[in-house]
């Protein structure tokens, strides 16, 4: 829930700015707690709140009575009429490793020694509820409200996945957890809203807040709950199972919740762990951060809790938050801004891509001025308009995208988004029968671009085939797909290059390209939704092109990072590309991928035989600087491939969980960071010796 958190504040220069901020926060809070449609993203809200508090601290005489800080202090924000059994507290935030270590030092000081372990689990980005069970039956559901009192939302019982109406045992307990919409539920919710002619929700959290409190709707929006606390019932009904809650570790309480049939934070794909040290907690945090974007629900950090009840008691609880737990917050990945314009382009695979030009906004350290709008269907579903305030999400490597409009912020001046009538690439017809529109020429709409991509250094790596020559080959009709590259004649090349000598060189390079491993050939196909690293994962998993082609949706989903949606898309892509794949095979381009075991396994273990341990098994290796010695000729992609072939995991940034840094010339900040963290640093020469057997 919202509160005054540790995000850096907005500086309010004068009283006018202060009054504007007060107005903005009040309006946003009213909308947020009303129907969940606030015009401000969380980060902006928190910064403004802190700016207001800072201004009032410096100039108390200027503070106005209706300031939101006064409401928070008085506990008067969004309370309800149900008094919580024990206050529903907030959590202090930390924003990085140093911050967390400082928190750990403070905790150890209070305890007079290190805590007896930590429980770590994802921080679910939703809103808190207390669920009261009597004799195993769910009898009451209450929002967090202001932490002291909340609102009775028992009408929502039966609509919340993960919060069973009847527990596995007839106990009287209070379960606390976070209500969210999973990504699928969010999509479904907005589909339902559109069907009923109601404004779409701008993000899953607003949707959860709005839906939990709504009554009398003609439709039901399914919600999810992930529990994180178990308390004995306040009425003291003393059945055996509830006794001794205060003596159990947090991990044990989570297990009890699970055994009662309640879904907990441990049931998210990243799970929860009991760890001995903050170092281990940090390693977990890194894995969660790395998987954040691929998760089926929104998380905004990791919660670290002293696991042992004695440690919790000794550390104690402040007025706002416990001292034995802390939230490690990930950077905000969603902000609100305005759509200034929408432009259209045709992508490499022939699909039309609408792009929103935005009022620039900083998201997680990067200024975002454009975001994808996915498809015309999506524009219609979200009822987006030019001039709309929108939620924009930028997560990891994912291209920033518009999540939805903030309907509450509309002024009436917004204008419809015009849809194209002709392909923006070739001016030809558009196939608009599916949600994603496509040029009727498909991949052929911009064949040159597809071929240029295919011959690139990280794919087929055919030197000499520059963009000009590719355009000419395509224009001459010599290349109609990437497989045609392998049957090019000397005459065709001479016609395109004007040089016999160059043509011979290119022919030799094409011959060499026939030997490229599967991962590169697969990448060269330009399958929608797969870049270099996904292509490597797919190739390593299946080993041969034939196995990829034969894979069904279930088999594809065994590859890390492929969910049901991506699997379906890959199947469609593979079906479309089947003739090209067959042509490649006929042209002799059909090398396998050396199969590599999952990290930590030995090479032969893949085939069920005990084998030799791979030299980098279980290691996370980062390469930086210019490579020398045996690695001199390798691109960064090739070095990463080498690391993975030798059983390691290739990382891109240095952290505590990095095992080894390969530092070439001019290594810079990564080397300094590795040294400060005590991560082992080796030269490319030393590294080359370790992995000599795996060099290309
Ligand atoms: S423990 C004493 N664990 O985050 C507070 N909270 O910003 C106990 N939240 O109010 C909270 N995921 O609503 C805990 N794994 C998790 C959580 C979690 C989300 C929420 C919760 C809390 C808020 C604090």
């Amino acid at each position: 829930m919202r509160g005054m958190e540790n995000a850096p504040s907005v500086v309010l220069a004068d009283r006018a700015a202060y009054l504007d901020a007060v107005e903005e926060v009040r309006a946003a809070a009213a909308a947020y707690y009303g129907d969940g449609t606030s015009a401000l993203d969380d980060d902006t809200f928190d910064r403004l709140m802190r700016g207001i508090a800072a201004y009032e601290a410096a100039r108390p005489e200027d503070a106005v009575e209706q300031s939101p800080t006064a409401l928070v202090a008085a506990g008067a924000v969004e309370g309800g009429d149900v008094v919580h059994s024990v206050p529903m507290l907030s959590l202090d935030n930390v924003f990085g490793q140093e911050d967390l270590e400082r928190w750990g030092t403070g905790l150890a000081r209070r305890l007079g020694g290190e805590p007896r372990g930590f429980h770590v689990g994802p921080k679910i980005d939703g809103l808190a509820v207390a669920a009261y069970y009597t004799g195993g039956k769910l009898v009451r559901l209450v929002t967090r409200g202001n932490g002291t009192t909340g609102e009775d939302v028992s009408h929502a019982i039966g609509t919340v996945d993960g919060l069973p109406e009847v527990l596995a045992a007839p106990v009287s307990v209070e379960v606390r957890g976070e209500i969210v919409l999973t990504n699928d539920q969010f999509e479904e919710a907005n589909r339902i809203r559109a069907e009923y002619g109601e404004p779409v929700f701008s993000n899953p959290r607003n949707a959860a807040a709005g839906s939990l409190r709504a009554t009398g709707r003609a439709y039901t929006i399914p919600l999810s709950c992930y529990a994180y606390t178990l308390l004995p019932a306040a009425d003291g009904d003393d059945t055996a199972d509830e006794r001794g809650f205060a003596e159990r570790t947090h991990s044990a309480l989570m297990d009890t919740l699970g055994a009662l049939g309640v879904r907990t934070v441990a049931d998210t794909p990243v799970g929860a762990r009991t760890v001995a040290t903050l170092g281990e907690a940090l390693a977990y945090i890194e894995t969660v951060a790395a998987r954040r974007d691929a998760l089926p629900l929104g998380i905004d950090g990791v919660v670290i809790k002293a696991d042992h009840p004695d440690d919790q008691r000794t550390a104690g609880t402040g007025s706002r938050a416990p001292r034995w737990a802390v939230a490690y917050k990930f950077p905000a990945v969603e902000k609100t801004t305005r759509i200034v314009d929408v432009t259209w382009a045709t992508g490499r695979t022939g699909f039309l891509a609408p792009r929103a030009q935005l009022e620039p906004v900083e998201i997680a350290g990067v200024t975002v001025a454009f975001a994808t709008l996915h498809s015309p269907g999506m524009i219609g579903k979200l009822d987006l308009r030019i001039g709309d305030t929108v939620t924009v999400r930028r997560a990891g490597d994912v291209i920033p995208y518009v999540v939805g409009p903030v309907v509450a912020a509309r002024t009436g001046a917004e204008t419809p988004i015009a849809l194209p009538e002709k392909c923006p690439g070739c001016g030809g017809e558009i196939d608009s029968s599916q949600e994603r529109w496509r040029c009727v020429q498909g991949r052929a709409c911009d064949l040159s671009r597809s071929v240029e991509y295919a011959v690139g250094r990280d794919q087929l790596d055919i030197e000499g085939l520059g963009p000009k020559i590719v355009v000419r080959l395509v224009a001459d009709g010599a290349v109609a797909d990437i497989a045609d590259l392998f049957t090019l004649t000397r005459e065709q090349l001479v016609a395109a290059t004007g040089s016999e000598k160059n043509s011979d060189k290119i022919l030799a390079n094409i011959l060499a390209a026939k030997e490229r491993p599967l991962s590169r050939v697969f990448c060269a196909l330009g399958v929608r939704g797969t870049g270099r690293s996904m292509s490597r994962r797919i190739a390593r998993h299946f080993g041969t092109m034939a196995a990829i082609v034969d894979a069904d949706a279930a088999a594809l989903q065994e590859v890390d990072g492929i969910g049901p949606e991506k699997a379906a898309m890959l199947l469609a892509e593979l079906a479309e590309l089947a003739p090209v794949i067959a042509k490649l095979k006929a042209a002799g381009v059909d090398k396998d991928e050396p199969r590599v075991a999952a990290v930590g396994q030995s090479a032969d273990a893949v085939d069920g035989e005990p084998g030799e341990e791979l030299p980098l098994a279980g290691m996370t290796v980062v390469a930086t600087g210019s490579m020398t010695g045996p690695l001199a000729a390798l691109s960064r992609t090739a070095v990463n491939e080498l690391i993975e072939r030798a059983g390691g995991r290739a990382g891109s940034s240095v952290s505590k969980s990095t095992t080894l840094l390969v530092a070439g010339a001019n290594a810079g900040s990564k080397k300094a960071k590795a040294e400060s963290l005590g991560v082992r640093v080796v030269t490319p020469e030393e590294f080359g010796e370790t992995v000599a057997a795996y060099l290309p």
Side-chain angles (χ1 to χ4, degrees):
M1 292 295 283
R2 281 184 155 156
M4 293 165 65
E5 311 209 340
N6 298 342
S9 73
V10 168
V11 177
L12 302 173
D14 54 23
R15 187 148 201 272
Y18 164 73
L19 291 175
D20 280 352
V22 166
E23 254 334 287
E24 204 172 349
V25 167
R26 280 180 65 87
Y32 181 79
Y33 294 117
D35 62 359
T37 59
S38 161
L40 291 183
D41 56 80
D42 281 3
D43 199 50
T44 312
F45 183 94
D46 287 338
R47 282 164 197 259
L48 275 174
M49 264 308 245
R50 291 181 64 77
I52 291 169
Y55 184 90
E56 289 172 351
R59 297 155 90 165
E61 69 283 2
D62 270 4
V64 290
E65 222 172 82
Q66 69 274 31
S67 164
T69 57
L71 293 175
V72 169
V77 168
E78 30 80 36
D81 50 11
V82 183
V83 179
H84 292 303
S85 58
V86 281
M88 292 186 79
L89 296 175
S90 194
L91 287 169
D92 284 331
N93 294 328
V94 292
F95 293 94
Q97 182 174 340
E98 266 179 39
D99 250 13
L100 178 65
E101 281 164 356
R102 209 171 304 122
W103 173 80
T105 310
L107 179 63
R109 199 179 318 116
R110 282 179 192 281
L111 300 181
E114 292 301 322
R116 279 161 274 195
F118 298 94
H119 178 273
V120 288
K123 182 169 180 336
I124 315 287
D125 191 9
L127 65 153
V129 290
Y132 294 88
Y133 284 91
T134 303
K137 278 215 182 87
L138 180 52
V139 293
R140 193 172 214 194
L141 204 54
V142 182
T143 66
R144 176 180 184 271
N146 59 24
T148 308
T149 62
E151 206 179 308
D152 192 316
V153 287
S154 302
H155 56 259
I157 290 176
T159 69
V160 187
D161 229 25
L163 209 51
E165 287 181 62
V166 182
L167 294 177
V171 290
S172 297
V173 290
E174 181 183 342
V175 174
R176 290 183 175 182
E178 202 79 353
I179 300 279
V180 281
L181 267 76
T182 61
N183 298 343
D184 286 349
Q185 285 176 328
F186 177 61
E187 237 179 66
E188 175 66 3
N190 274 348
R191 199 191 54 71
I192 295 174
R193 295 272 284 185
E195 193 182 309
Y196 280 82
E198 294 203 23
V200 293
F201 294 114
S202 55
N203 65 39
R205 217 180 69 151
N206 283 359
S211 305
L212 183 65
R213 305 176 73 216
T215 49
R217 276 183 180 161
Y219 54 88
T220 305
I221 299 223
L223 303 165
S224 294
C225 182
Y226 290 85
Y228 51 71
T229 301
L230 178 62
L231 300 167
D235 62 13
D237 175 358
D238 197 22
T239 53
D241 254 3
E242 300 136 47
R243 256 179 273 138
F245 276 12
E247 300 314 317
R248 295 198 211 167
T249 60
H250 186 75
S251 309
L253 288 175
M254 290 298 101
D255 291 346
T256 305
L257 271 170
L260 287 172
V262 177
R263 187 194 286 162
T264 75
V265 293
D267 296 314
T268 56
V270 289
R273 309 236 188 301
T274 315
V275 296
T277 63
L278 281 187
E280 286 173 42
L282 276 163
Y284 169 80
I285 290 167
E286 288 226 351
T287 60
V288 175
R291 296 182 62 186
R292 180 186 188 188
D293 308 337
L295 294 179
L297 76 168
I299 64 165
D300 58 349
V302 165
V303 181
I304 301 111
K305 298 163 185 159
D307 199 31
H308 200 278
D310 288 343
D311 289 344
Q312 295 174 1
R313 271 189 290 271
T314 313
T317 292
S319 61
R320 204 186 74 90
R323 296 195 193 91
W324 46 267
V326 78
Y328 184 108
K329 289 284 284 263
F330 294 151
V333 289
E334 276 186 16
K335 287 283 182 72
T336 48
T337 184
R338 269 185 64 248
I339 297 191
V340 177
D341 198 7
V342 172
T343 54
W344 296 80
T346 306
R348 205 165 13 92
T349 51
F351 284 91
L352 266 61
R355 194 168 79 140
Q357 187 192 333
L358 307 168
E359 275 177 8
V361 60
E362 201 203 294
I363 311 182
V366 170
T367 302
V368 175
F370 295 96
T372 173
L373 290 172
H374 298 292
S375 65
M378 191 64 96
I379 292 174
K381 241 194 241 165
L382 297 176
D383 183 27
L384 276 175
R385 303 171 197 178
I386 290 174
D388 259 343
T389 297
V390 288
T391 307
V392 177
R393 186 176 172 88
R394 175 191 161 260
D397 297 335
V398 179
I399 299 164
Y401 65 94
V402 172
V403 182
V406 181
V407 177
R410 285 211 169 126
T411 63
E414 296 76 19
T415 53
I417 294 171
L419 303 179
E421 284 167 8
K422 297 275 169 214
C423 168
C426 66
E429 294 299 307
I430 299 172
D431 172 3
S432 55
S433 59
Q434 306 289 317
E435 174 157 332
R436 298 201 62 187
W437 292 7
R438 197 176 191 192
C439 171
V440 289
Q441 295 206 66
R443 284 185 153 77
C445 175
D446 196 350
L447 182 61
S448 305
R449 199 141 57 100
S450 301
V451 177
E452 275 166 41
Y453 175 79
V455 302
R457 192 164 176 204
D458 291 323
Q459 287 73 247
L460 297 172
D461 192 14
I462 305 179
E463 226 185 296
L465 271 185
K468 267 196 194 155
I469 300 172
V470 168
V471 167
R472 181 66 200 270
L473 287 169
V474 169
D476 289 350
V479 171
D481 57 46
I482 68 161
D484 286 343
L485 290 168
F486 294 95
T487 49
L488 279 173
T489 62
R490 191 165 186 268
E491 291 66 40
Q492 286 169 319
L493 277 167
V494 172
T497 61
S499 154
E500 295 194 347
K501 202 169 136 207
N502 286 351
S503 299
D504 288 337
K505 277 191 196 156
I506 293 171
L507 276 173
N509 293 340
I510 290 175
L511 202 62
K514 287 190 177 179
E515 305 305 312
R516 302 281 177 254
L518 173 64
S519 54
R520 284 169 172 257
V521 176
F522 186 79
C523 191
L525 287 169
V527 177
R528 203 151 54 92
T530 62
R532 287 193 295 265
S533 87
M534 177 57 82
S535 297
R536 279 205 298 272
R537 258 179 279 158
I538 292 173
R540 296 236 159 89
H541 183 85
F542 291 104
T544 64
M545 190 65 99
I548 298 178
V549 171
D550 285 346
D552 59 12
L556 286 168
Q557 284 177 63
E558 284 170 18
V559 179
D560 197 20
I562 300 183
E565 223 174 280
K566 193 155 204 155
M569 183 169 89
L570 289 180
L571 281 181
E573 284 282 283
L574 287 168
E576 181 176 307
L577 287 162
V580 183
I581 295 172
K583 265 171 85 178
L584 281 168
K585 186 178 157 90
V589 188
D590 194 23
K591 281 270 167 291
D592 295 352
E593 189 73 7
R595 291 192 74 185
V596 171
V599 173
Q601 283 185 324
S602 57
D604 293 341
V606 166
D607 301 314
E609 305 267 330
E612 216 183 292
E613 188 76 359
L614 291 162
L616 304 181
M619 296 169 70
T620 300
V621 183
V622 177
T624 188
S626 357
M627 292 295 125
T628 45
L631 308 187
L634 305 186
S635 67
R636 189 52 36 88
T637 298
V639 173
N640 288 343
E641 287 172 344
L642 170 64
I643 293 168
E644 290 174 10
R645 258 197 321 275
R649 197 184 288 274
S652 56
S653 61
V654 173
S655 72
K656 260 197 157 170
S657 54
T658 308
T659 329
L660 188 69
L661 178 75
V662 185
N666 309 317
S669 67
K670 284 187 190 165
K671 191 172 174 194
K673 183 155 186 208
E675 283 164 356
S676 76
L677 290 173
V679 170
R680 203 173 136 223
V681 180
V682 294
T683 61
E685 286 75 12
E686 287 169 308
F687 184 69
E689 272 177 36
T690 315
V691 295
Y694 299 86
L695 281 164

